[in-house]
Amino acid sequence: QKEVEQDPGPLSVPEGAIVSLNCTYSNSAFQYFMWYRQYSRKGPELLMYTYSSGNKEDGRFTAQVDKSSKYISLFIRDSQPSDSATYLCAMNPGANNLFFGTGTRLTVIP
Amino acid sequence: KAGVTQTPRYLIKTRGQQVTLSCSPISGHRSVSWYQQTPGQGLQFLFEYFSETQRNKGNFPGRFSGRQFSNSRSEMNVSTLELGDSALYLCASSGAGGMNTEAFFGQGTRLTVV
């Protein structure tokens, strides 16, 4: 079993929809949780990071962490075609090595 | 402010050869981490260097090695290449802190082994 599980999708939604992306993890030592966006042929771009359980909002993006359930989510409101990309969850136990999910490919249809 | 620069962007090598990839971190960043990305395994941590010292290492064979120079630039080397080493190799830089919470990635080097 991988330490971080993420539904690979693909996920297609109409423009303006709310998107929900999720990851589960098994390692209780994970302390920091991140979401990256990766466009084709580009490196991952950091979108959000959180430490404690709860919600963190940044514009159209909301990151949610539930440590008791070992479950994290990223919500995208009013999705745009430019949001079409692969979304990667990542987490670490406090050291400088990130554990990534396999990524969810999202397509927002105009 | 310049981002993370990786060179070269693309490489084609033959089985058994060795390869060296380069990463220049964001100015002022002292931590450089390397990751391998493949369709089947996703992103996997190779190793991290901080102030010229390897601080963390992932579960990769000894054929994968790296180093960091005094200007924080880093190189990774893969010896005796195998077909399974074909991947996108990503470098991430972060500041002096102990956590990789704000790791900035380069565009990667796509290595193809034939």
Side-chain angles (χ1 to χ4, degrees):
Chain A
Q1 184 191 3
K2 298 192 74 161
E3 290 191 81
V4 182
E5 299 280 358
Q6 183 175 9
D7 186 340
L11 183 62
S12 291
V13 301
E15 184 176 351
I18 296 174
V19 176
S20 172
L21 304 166
N22 311 295
C23 288
T24 59
Y25 62 96
S26 57
N27 190 341
S28 299
F30 288 144
Q31 299 180 33
Y32 289 82
F33 304 89
M34 287 136 272
W35 286 95
Y36 284 85
R37 176 175 63 194
Q38 187 174 24
Y39 292 112
S40 181
R41 300 186 178 279
K42 302 284 188 182
E45 170 194 9
L46 180 64
L47 285 176
M48 302 281 286
Y49 73 89
T50 55
Y51 172 67
S52 56
S53 285
N55 293 352
K56 181 176 181 178
E57 190 174 316
D58 185 0
R60 296 185 296 111
F61 298 91
T62 299
Q64 191 174 77
V65 174
D66 182 349
K67 286 188 175 181
S68 62
S69 301
K70 296 190 180 67
Y71 187 89
I72 69 170
S73 299
L74 178 71
F75 299 96
I76 306 173
R77 291 184 299 280
D78 187 25
S79 56
Q80 302 294 310
S82 58
D83 294 329
S84 299
T86 296
Y87 289 80
L88 299 150
C89 63
M91 47 201 79
N92 73 11
N96 263 357
N97 53 318
L98 292 172
F99 292 80
F100 281 85
T102 51
T104 299
R105 180 172 292 183
L106 170 68
T107 300
V108 180
I109 303 165
Chain B
K1 194 174 189 182
V4 179
T5 303
Q6 291 188 246
T7 56
R9 289 291 310 279
Y10 303 93
L11 266 178
I12 299 176
K13 289 287 188 179
T14 305
R15 268 184 306 175
Q17 288 187 312
Q18 73 166 14
V19 67
T20 299
L21 313 181
S22 179
C23 172
S24 292
I26 292 170
S27 178
H29 283 190
R30 297 166 63 190
S31 169
V32 174
S33 300
W34 288 89
Y35 293 83
Q36 181 195 65
Q37 186 174 31
T38 59
Q41 297 297 318
L43 270 146
Q44 293 184 286
F45 173 75
L46 282 155
F47 31 66
E48 183 231 356
Y49 286 86
F50 181 82
S51 293
E52 301 179 65
T53 301
Q54 187 180 87
R55 193 158 66 168
N56 286 295
K57 189 178 190 306
N59 295 324
F60 278 81
R63 300 185 297 107
F64 292 83
S65 63
R67 59 177 176 169
Q68 187 179 34
F69 301 95
S70 58
N71 63 357
S72 294
R73 189 178 71 85
S74 177
E75 290 181 345
M76 69 163 279
N77 184 275
V78 188
S79 62
T80 319
L81 284 166
E82 301 176 0
L83 296 179
D85 297 333
S86 295
L88 180 67
Y89 289 89
L90 290 157
C91 160
S93 85
S94 53
M99 308 302 173
N100 228 355
T101 52
E102 300 224 349
F104 298 90
F105 283 85
Q107 298 214 49
T109 295
R110 185 163 297 279
L111 172 65
T112 302
V113 182
V114 298

